[in-house]
Amino acid sequence: MDRGKPGSKMHVLSDADGLPLRVGLSASNTHDSLALKPMLAHFHMGHESHAADSKPQRLHADKAYDVPHLLRWLWGKRIGVRIARKGIESSERLGRRRWVIERTMSWLTGYRRLNHRYEHQPTNYLAFLGLAAAICCYKRFLKLTM
């Protein structure tokens, strides 16, 4: 968290292959952990039979998400976590899985409109971010079908 930094942060929730499932936007002076609950809010978290198919099974995240109330919340939702612990683990141990989301972020920032924020309105920027995620999904679909 940088209290004086202007701008915004992109938040991306992806599957194990790096396909963007959900994108979000927050002010750059807010902590990353505040975006986790809204990003997971659209998944069915109930105990219905179809909920097991749509609920994430495991969450990999960096040290910013090592917050006790988030860990308890995820445990209550029966989502496994693999988060580097602050002051104990090096974030390098997450490298085997972390490169997937880093590649996804690279795909999204590869679009000129998202690399630097040209849009002044957050809703417009979020729309372009969603469009970039949809294009990534479309490209993956084309690759799988051809």
Side-chain angles (χ1 to χ4, degrees), residues 2-14:
D2 187 3
R3 289 184 173 88
K5 185 176 179 184
S8 58
K9 289 182 190 176
M10 286 190 288
H11 301 281
V12 179
L13 183 67
S14 74

Side-chain angles (χ1 to χ4, degrees), residues 10-84:
M10 286 190 288
H11 301 281
V12 179
L13 183 67
S14 74
D15 67 355
D17 295 324
L19 194 66
L21 301 176
R22 185 151 188 192
V23 293
L25 189 66
S26 69
S28 63
N29 61 354
T30 59
H31 198 270
D32 289 341
S33 64
L34 297 176
L36 183 63
K37 285 183 183 180
M39 292 294 283
L40 291 174
H42 77 287
F43 287 105
H44 298 285
M45 299 292 186
H47 299 292
E48 302 91 24
S49 61
H50 68 279
D53 298 331
S54 62
K55 181 179 72 104
Q57 300 298 314
R58 182 169 290 284
L59 176 73
H60 294 269
D62 60 3
K63 290 181 183 184
Y65 298 94
D66 185 25
V67 181
H69 72 87
L70 281 179
L71 297 175
R72 283 191 305 271
W73 183 78
L74 289 167
W75 184 77
K77 300 293 182 186
R78 296 183 181 163
I79 298 174
V81 294
R82 179 64 181 105
I83 299 176

Side-chain angles (χ1 to χ4, degrees), residues 86-125:
K86 293 179 186 175
I88 297 173
E89 291 183 72
S90 169
S91 58
E92 294 173 4
R93 290 189 60 196
L94 294 175
R96 295 182 307 234
R97 307 269 193 260
R98 178 134 178 113
W99 69 272
V100 174
I101 192 66
E102 295 297 336
R103 182 186 62 188
T104 303
M105 296 298 283
S106 176
W107 288 342
L108 294 175
T109 56
Y111 295 99
R112 181 177 174 264
R113 204 77 172 162
L114 297 175
N115 195 9
H116 299 286
R117 185 166 170 180
Y118 296 105
E119 300 298 323
H120 294 289
Q121 296 294 325
T123 54
N124 292 345
Y125 186 73

